[in-house]
């Protein structure tokens, strides 16, 4: 297994001296994916004041690294301003950013057919702005990610060939050599495990091999929750588990979900090594929604509820901490712009905290400990979902019903 276990961090270092190499794989720097949108549209940007609320909440649970996705809205610049403001108020405040630059193909998100081996003219603007922000905030931005699930072929609306990602990764690496970017900034792309060679052979192309050699580390995504519907080989209850309690059945399924993720991680490492490369592999995204009226809910695989989500979060944190793998968990707060036409859609419900400023089951212990005392979101104190009633929560927890042969 290839991991980053560099623990060279010293409390005496200035923020400019803290590097991605020191942060990634360092258990003192827990990571999460962040979006601060409160409404069902990205036209309403989260304000600096609102983001400061969020940052204080995340800092309280020891999150120190945030992942963002694009730079073409005010959200990211407001986030960087908010972090800077908190750092001025308290020099000990630490929060770093993995800055995403959105990449897509020509004709993406239009009525024209997408051309996957050509790129959108917007890509160059994204990269230019990512460079500008990184140079403006070198004490905060430690990683630039070129694209988000931009190579995986099920992203039919916008995916690009690896050549396009490679072009921009090489561009940023060249800027580092020319001293036009901080030399310690790490460059990657954040994509599905299959896109990094861990899945079907159709992805095993020379351009991908070149990309793996060009990035500073691999940022891979893994979502067993989605595969409870699309590839449920690990999800159904086994024959020898039929006499277990409902909770024990669910716990066993969640352990298999964790192992499914580990297998995907190891498949990426195996492919990387097969082409003669040995560099860090971290998890750029994984998560488990708490609600769904689609494939993953009560009428589907019965995967989504607050108990299973909490189990997955805790299992992932436990495993990645042990192995010194950074895990950018998706995500900090619910965002309902992602599927505004379907409020109960799973994409709106991946957060640890919902839009009513309620901590989901995974964080109930933190509420009990007083972790959020004096903190608010949208001016509301952080309380528990279900009013803290475990019995009420369990009414929404369903057990997978199919039987998987031993």
């Amino acid at each position: 297994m290839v991991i980053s276990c560099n623990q060279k961090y010293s409390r005496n270092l200035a923020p400019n001296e803290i590097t991605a190499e020191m942060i990634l794989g360092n258990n003192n720097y827990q990571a999460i994916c962040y979006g601060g949108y409160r409404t069902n549209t990205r036209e309403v940007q989260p304000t600096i004041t609102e983001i400061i609320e969020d940052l204080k909440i995340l800092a309280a649970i020891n999150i120190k690294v945030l992942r963002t996705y694009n730079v073409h809205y005010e959200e990211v610049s407001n986030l960087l301003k908010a972090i800077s403001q908190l750092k001025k108020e308290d020099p000990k405040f630490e929060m770093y950013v993995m800055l995403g630059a959105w990449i897509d193909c020509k004709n993406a998100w239009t009525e024209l057919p997408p051309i996957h081996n050509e790129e959108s003219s917007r890509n160059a603007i994204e990269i230019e702005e990512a460079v500008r922000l990184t140079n403006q905030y070198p004490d905060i931005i430690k990683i630039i990610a070129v694209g988000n699930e931009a190579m995986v072929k099920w992203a039919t609306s916008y995916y690009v060939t690896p050549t396009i990602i490679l072009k921009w990764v090489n561009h940023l690496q060249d800027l580092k050599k020319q001293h036009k970017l901080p030399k310690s900034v790490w460059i990657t792309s954040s994509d599905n495990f299959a896109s990094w060679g861990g899945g079907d052979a159709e992805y095993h192309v020379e351009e991908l091999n070149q990309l793996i050699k060009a990035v500073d580390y691999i940022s891979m995504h893994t979502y067993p929750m989605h595969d409870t519907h699309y590839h449920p080989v690990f999800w159904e209850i086994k024959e020898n588990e039929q006499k277990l309690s409902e909770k024990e059945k669910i716990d066993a399924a969640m352990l298999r979900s964790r192992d499914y993720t580990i297998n995907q991680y190891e498949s990426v490492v195996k492919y990387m090594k097969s082409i003669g490369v040995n560099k860090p592999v971290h998890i750029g995204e994984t998560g488990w929604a708490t609600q769904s009226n689609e494939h993953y809910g009560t009428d589907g695989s019965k995967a989504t509820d607050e108990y299973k989500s909490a189990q997955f979060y805790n299992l992932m944190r436990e495993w990645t901490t042990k192995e010194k793998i950074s895990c950018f968990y998706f995500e900090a707060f619910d965002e309902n712009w992602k599927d505004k036409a379907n409020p109960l859609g799973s994409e709106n419900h991946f957060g640890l905290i919902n839009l009513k400023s309620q901590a989901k089951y995974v964080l109930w212990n933190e509420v009990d400990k007083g972790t959020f005392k004096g903190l608010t979101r949208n001016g509301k104190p952080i309380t528990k979902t279900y009013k803290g009633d475990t019995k009420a929560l369990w009414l929404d927890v369903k057990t997978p019903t199919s039987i998987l042969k031993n």
Side-chain angles (χ1 to χ4, degrees):
M1 185 176 294
V2 176
I3 57 177
S4 175
C5 56
N6 194 322
Q7 304 280 357
K8 296 187 293 186
Y9 172 67
S10 167
R11 293 286 175 188
N12 296 321
L13 291 176
N16 281 355
E17 297 175 292
I18 301 295
T19 67
E21 186 178 8
M22 297 174 187
I23 290 171
L24 291 171
N26 187 329
N27 294 337
N28 293 321
Y29 291 88
Q30 294 297 320
I32 207 161
C33 301
Y34 174 74
Y37 293 97
R38 268 91 163 153
T39 72
N40 64 1
T41 174
R42 284 197 287 177
E43 299 306 312
V44 180
Q45 296 297 300
T47 66
I48 294 173
T49 300
E50 289 173 332
I51 293 173
I52 284 175
E53 279 189 318
D54 292 350
L55 293 173
K56 289 180 177 179
I57 291 167
L58 295 175
I61 56 172
N62 297 317
I63 298 295
K64 288 187 170 64
V65 194
L66 306 181
R67 181 183 168 210
T68 64
Y69 290 81
N70 56 66
V71 295
H72 54 275
Y73 292 96
E74 291 179 10
E75 182 202 28
V76 167
S77 60
N78 283 349
L79 170 64
L80 295 167
K81 290 172 184 175
I83 294 173
S84 295
Q85 183 173 322
L86 287 173
K87 284 161 64 73
K88 288 178 182 177
E89 294 173 2
D90 178 5
K92 294 181 180 179
F93 181 82
E94 279 191 289
M95 194 68 74
Y96 304 99
V97 169
M98 173 182 178
L99 185 70
W102 189 266
I103 299 294
D104 48 27
C105 69
K106 187 173 182 178
N107 297 339
W109 317 108
T110 71
E111 294 181 357
L112 298 172
I115 304 175
H116 298 295
N117 62 350
E118 297 182 32
E119 64 175 318
S120 165
S121 59
R122 171 74 211 186
N123 294 351
I125 299 171
E126 280 280 305
I127 295 294
E128 183 179 3
E129 179 64 2
V131 170
R132 186 188 73 80
L133 289 171
T134 303
N135 285 324
Q136 184 177 356
Y137 297 96
D139 58 324
I140 299 173
I141 299 172
K142 302 299 179 180
I143 305 160
I144 301 175
V146 178
N148 172 66
E149 293 178 349
M151 297 184 290
V152 67
K153 294 181 180 179
W154 46 250
T156 53
S157 299
Y158 69 93
Y159 84 80
V160 298
T161 56
T163 306
I164 292 170
I165 301 295
L166 177 63
K167 165 192 168 181
W168 291 115
V169 167
N170 283 337
H171 171 71
L172 294 174
Q173 297 288 27
D174 287 342
L175 290 182
K176 286 162 61 174
K177 294 174 184 176
Q178 298 166 22
H179 306 290
K180 295 179 180 178
L181 264 178
K183 65 179 181 179
S184 63
V185 169
W186 271 13
I187 311 301
T188 190
S189 182
S190 207
D191 218 309
N192 182 266
F193 84 102
S195 304
W196 286 114
D200 295 340
E202 66 176 316
Y203 290 96
H204 297 174
V205 297
E206 179 56 29
E207 291 81 3
L208 174 63
N209 299 346
Q210 292 177 31
L211 178 62
I212 290 173
K213 294 172 183 176
V215 295
D216 291 302
Y217 78 99
I218 289 174
S219 175
M220 60 153 283
H221 297 188
T222 172
Y223 274 97
M225 189 210 85
H226 290 139
D227 280 353
T228 62
H229 169 77
Y230 290 105
H231 191 227
V233 292
F234 62 95
W235 184 241
E236 292 100 339
I237 303 304
K238 289 190 172 186
E239 280 185 318
N240 65 0
E241 295 170 349
Q242 292 305 303
K243 294 182 180 180
L244 297 177
S245 69
E246 298 307 295
K247 180 180 181 298
E248 288 170 333
K249 290 175 184 177
I250 292 168
D251 288 348
M254 296 313 299
L255 281 171
R256 290 196 297 274
S257 300
R258 183 222 35 209
D259 292 344
Y260 186 79
T261 281
I262 292 173
N263 287 336
Q264 290 189 340
Y265 177 90
E266 291 178 342
S267 72
V268 171
V269 172
K270 181 179 179 181
Y271 182 76
M272 177 187 68
K273 286 185 173 181
S274 77
I275 63 170
V277 177
N278 189 1
K279 60 180 56 173
V281 177
H282 296 289
I283 295 176
E285 196 173 302
T286 192
W288 199 283
T290 54
Q291 192 169 358
S292 171
N293 61 357
E294 315 138 313
H295 300 311
Y296 323 109
T298 301
D299 296 329
S301 64
K302 300 177 175 62
T304 51
D305 57 65
E306 290 195 24
Y307 179 77
K308 297 188 192 83
S309 176
Q311 288 295 94
F312 187 69
Y313 180 87
N314 290 327
L315 287 167
M316 287 300 294
R317 288 296 190 205
E318 179 184 30
W319 168 60
T320 55
T321 296
K322 178 182 176 183
E323 298 294 338
K324 296 183 173 62
I325 300 167
S326 283
C327 177
F328 288 82
Y329 198 83
F330 188 84
E331 64 178 327
F333 303 96
D334 280 353
E335 298 178 273
N336 63 357
W337 65 267
K338 294 176 179 290
D339 192 359
K340 65 181 180 180
N342 180 21
L344 297 180
S346 60
E347 288 298 308
N348 298 328
H349 299 281
F350 274 89
L352 305 184
I353 295 174
N354 68 23
L355 288 168
K356 296 179 181 178
S357 303
Q358 294 171 332
K360 298 182 185 179
Y361 182 65
V362 66
L363 295 180
W364 281 13
N365 286 341
E366 299 294 343
V367 177
D368 290 338
K369 290 191 298 185
T371 300
F372 305 117
K373 185 177 181 180
L375 301 179
T376 60
R377 191 166 201 255
N378 299 329
K380 299 177 182 178
I382 307 301
T383 58
K384 296 180 184 179
T385 53
Y386 294 92
K387 297 182 179 179
D389 185 341
T390 305
K391 290 183 179 180
L393 180 149
W394 269 93
L395 293 175
D396 289 332
V397 180
K398 308 302 179 185
T399 308
T401 53
S402 300
I403 297 177
L404 183 66
K405 296 281 187 180
N406 293 334

